[in-house]
Amino acid sequence: MKIILPLAMLLAALTSCGPKHESQQAAAAAPALPVVTISSATAVTQQEYPASLQGTVDIEIRPQVNGNLEKIFVDEGAYVNQGQPLFKINEQPYREALNNAFASYHAAEAALINTQLEIDKLTPLVANKVVSDYQLKSARASHKVAQANLEQAKAMVGTAKINLGYTTITAPVSGYIGRLPKKQGSLVSVADVEALTKLSDVHEVYAYFSLGEADFIRFKAQYNGNTIDDKIKHLAPVSLVLADNNDYPVTGKVDMVDGQFDKNTGAITLRAKFANAKGLLRSGNTGKIRLSLPHDNAIVVPQEATVEVQDKIFVFAVDNTNKVTKQPITIIGKSGANYLVSNGVKSGDRIVFKGFDNLAEGTVITPEKMQPATLAKN
């Protein structure tokens, strides 16, 4: 009896370690992880591009004549209306030049009258053959010279008037005045490197941004139309992200694509126009243009269900036997909390949603079903 009892216990232990028990242990070891089914959806991705802002009119104010800056009528940063005086250059030399031009004009008028009198005197004498017709021809030639001199004097009067008018510099458009590097009493010249000031009309502003060649090809492929102008008409409004990362409250519209790529940067410039009724934007501001790109039937993968390794994005795909495989995917954009994928997975595939930090490739899991990954249609 002492020998039979230990043998019976040994047989029972061996029986418990048989194939059935091993399968039960394996089943118990399979981790239970949430699994999501990949689906396709219509989504919109947001691409951001650095932008620089300029007013619709952004010009330098420069003197057209030389002289002393006698008066400055505006202050830096002031808003001015079209035609409003900005600067006054000492006009005295130009007023005297105008007076001199008028004197020359009157002298030319008198000379013209004298030549006409000479013609009137010689005409009957030539007719009566008292004098030679040579003298009459000479008088008529002198009359034409006098006419030309009068026209020249008239042009000099016009030039003097223009130069006198240039001594008062007015605003060519309404807008905001920039810095005033020249002070009252300074000598100004048409050859000065530095302008008197800059004037910006910013009731509307232009935001200039650039697309690389690959981005521009995708941009053209996204929208209907045979020409760039047609595609621009179908382009959705764009947003402007300011330097503080807040959105400008008014959306804009892309209205221009440059005619050629910059050979130095390999990029092409686009322009978006924004209304600026409250004057919040100024020339020289920077920001980012947020461009919306629609994607039909895009494969949507939650970002939470991915892992990044050495600049590559992976998911843990689950096959029909619930075995996981580490699968690289190709990202074409982001929309909310999701990636849009072009390669690596397809609609209907299953992937592990979370809990894969220590998950080894080839592991068999127990799936916990979740709702399909979808994006809200925009």
Side-chain angles (χ1 to χ4, degrees):
M1 288 295 293
K2 291 182 180 179
I3 297 175
I4 293 174
L5 183 58
L7 288 175
M9 294 176 63
L10 180 60
L11 290 173
L14 292 174
T15 303
S16 64
C17 294
K20 181 178 179 181
H21 183 69
E22 289 177 356
S23 62
Q24 289 175 347
Q25 285 184 330
L33 295 175
V35 171
V36 66
T37 301
I38 300 301
S39 65
S40 60
T42 298
V44 175
T45 58
Q46 307 287 344
Q47 297 289 335
E48 294 184 350
Y49 301 92
S52 60
L53 305 186
Q54 291 183 11
T56 50
V57 177
D58 196 9
I59 56 176
E60 293 181 336
I61 304 298
R62 292 183 173 274
Q64 299 296 305
V65 292
N66 304 328
N68 289 316
L69 192 58
E70 192 172 77
K71 292 182 181 179
I72 300 176
F73 298 108
V74 293
D75 198 2
E76 295 173 334
Y79 181 83
V80 296
N81 294 310
Q82 184 177 9
Q84 180 177 335
L86 305 178
F87 304 96
K88 179 69 175 178
I89 296 173
N90 182 18
E91 69 174 28
Q92 192 61 37
Y94 299 98
R95 187 166 294 282
E96 292 303 320
L98 178 60
N99 292 336
N100 187 50
F102 270 123
S104 298
Y105 178 76
H106 294 317
E109 281 185 318
L112 181 64
I113 292 172
N114 283 334
T115 58
Q116 184 61 50
L117 290 175
E118 184 69 15
I119 291 172
D120 293 342
K121 182 185 73 172
L122 293 175
T123 298
L125 296 177
V126 171
N128 295 321
K129 297 183 179 181
V130 176
V131 296
S132 169
D133 64 347
Y134 174 80
Q135 292 181 339
L136 180 59
K137 290 179 181 179
S138 179
R140 286 173 175 169
S142 298
H143 181 70
K144 289 184 178 181
V145 171
Q147 283 180 323
N149 289 337
L150 181 62
E151 293 298 323
Q152 186 178 38
K154 184 178 179 180
M156 291 176 63
V157 170
T159 300
K161 286 181 177 180
I162 291 172
N163 288 335
L164 181 61
Y166 281 152
T167 60
T168 300
I169 301 173
T170 60
V173 296
S174 299
Y176 290 94
I177 293 293
R179 294 290 303 276
L180 300 174
K182 298 284 188 179
K183 304 304 178 185
Q184 186 171 328
S186 299
L187 182 65
V188 297
S189 168
V190 295
D192 285 345
V193 175
E194 193 171 26
L196 292 175
T197 189
K198 290 184 178 181
L199 179 60
S200 298
D201 178 5
V202 290
H203 76 283
E204 290 182 324
V205 296
Y206 291 138
Y208 292 91
F209 62 103
S210 298
L211 297 182
E213 190 170 357
D215 284 344
F216 186 62
I217 292 172
R218 285 195 295 269
F219 170 82
K220 291 191 297 181
Q222 291 288 339
Y223 301 100
N224 297 325
N226 296 323
T227 65
I228 291 296
D229 289 339
D230 290 339
K231 293 178 183 296
I232 287 176
K233 292 177 182 178
H234 293 92
L235 187 62
V238 296
S239 300
L240 175 63
V241 183
L242 302 177
D244 60 358
N245 290 323
N246 289 321
D247 287 354
Y248 181 63
V250 181
T251 58
K253 182 70 175 175
V254 174
D255 66 346
M256 186 279 294
V257 177
D258 200 351
Q260 59 185 4
F261 280 83
D262 187 318
K263 63 180 181 180
N264 295 318
T265 63
I268 192 168
T269 299
L270 285 74
R271 185 183 73 189
K273 184 163 64 175
F274 292 84
N276 188 35
K278 296 183 179 180
L280 298 178
L281 304 176
R282 299 292 179 94
S283 288
N285 277 152
T286 59
K288 290 179 287 188
I289 289 294
R290 183 179 291 143
L291 193 63
S292 299
L293 298 176
H295 301 269
D296 294 328
N297 298 319
I299 303 300
V300 179
V301 173
Q303 293 185 42
E304 190 176 354
T306 65
V307 61
E308 183 174 353
V309 178
Q310 296 180 346
D311 298 328
K312 293 184 178 180
I313 305 296
F314 295 86
V315 296
F316 283 89
V318 182
D319 64 13
N320 295 332
T321 64
N322 296 331
K323 185 169 67 174
V324 299
T325 303
K326 195 174 181 181
Q327 178 69 36
I329 58 175
T330 303
I331 307 298
I332 60 173
K334 295 180 182 179
S335 182
N338 299 282
Y339 284 130
L340 303 186
V341 177
S342 61
N343 289 304
V345 291
K346 62 183 183 299
S347 181
D349 287 352
R350 297 185 301 164
I351 61 172
V352 178
F353 184 70
K354 60 182 178 179
F356 43 74
D357 294 340
N358 298 314
L359 187 61
E361 187 168 0
T363 301
V364 176
I365 66 169
T366 300
E368 292 180 350
K369 187 175 181 180
M370 295 185 64
Q371 294 297 321
T374 59
L375 282 177
K377 293 184 179 180
N378 292 299

